[in-house]
Amino acid sequence: QVQLVESGGGLVQAGGSLRLSCAASGDTICISTMGWYRQDPGKERELVADITSGGRTNYANSVKDRFTVYRDNAKNTLYLQMNRLRPEDTAVYYCKADSDGGGYWGQGTQVTVSS
């Protein structure tokens, strides 16, 4: 079992920045890829960015060159640095961890970008 707790969401003006954190606990030694997803009401959850245990990253086209995903394996923490935020980035952001036991999700953190 893996537990994930996100933090760092909030309200920001367009053009601003936020950093999300996702702290993992439990059976963290089995975690491979970790990622950030987001979901707007009425829409499907979509991948924002993910990163393998070896540090290879993958981004949605809509966030490339604005967002950076990274992880601190010693602290079992995943981060998402979000710069030049846009109103369309408004969503609940979820952390996900893949492990031998399956995929685990955090509870989500709200990001709201005002125009």
Side-chain angles (χ1 to χ4, degrees):
Q1 291 284 334
V2 173
Q3 293 79 43
L4 303 170
V5 178
E6 300 103 332
S7 60
L11 173 64
V12 65
Q13 287 189 332
S17 298
L18 282 174
R19 188 181 77 161
L20 304 183
S21 300
C22 172
S25 61
D27 202 10
T28 59
I29 196 169
C30 296
I31 292 176
S32 55
T33 298
M34 298 186 75
W36 290 98
Y37 292 72
R38 66 187 181 189
Q39 187 170 22
D40 242 353
K43 295 184 180 179
E44 291 196 0
R45 192 171 295 187
E46 63 175 2
L47 173 69
V48 177
D50 60 21
I51 181 169
T52 67
S53 57
R56 188 172 70 245
T57 58
N58 175 49
Y59 294 91
N61 287 335
S62 60
V63 307
K64 278 181 182 176
D65 302 322
R66 298 190 299 123
F67 291 9
T68 301
V69 62
Y70 58 103
R71 61 196 284 179
D72 184 333
N73 291 326
K75 295 182 178 179
N76 294 315
T77 302
L78 176 73
Y79 301 94
L80 184 69
Q81 178 67 44
M82 304 186 294
N83 298 327
R84 305 199 308 278
L85 282 159
R86 303 167 180 169
E88 54 264 39
D89 294 318
T90 295
V92 178
Y93 283 70
Y94 297 90
C95 172
K96 185 188 179 193
D98 294 329
S99 78
D100 296 346
Y104 297 90
W105 292 92
Q107 83 287 353
T109 185
Q110 177 71 46
V111 171
T112 302
V113 184
S114 63
S115 57

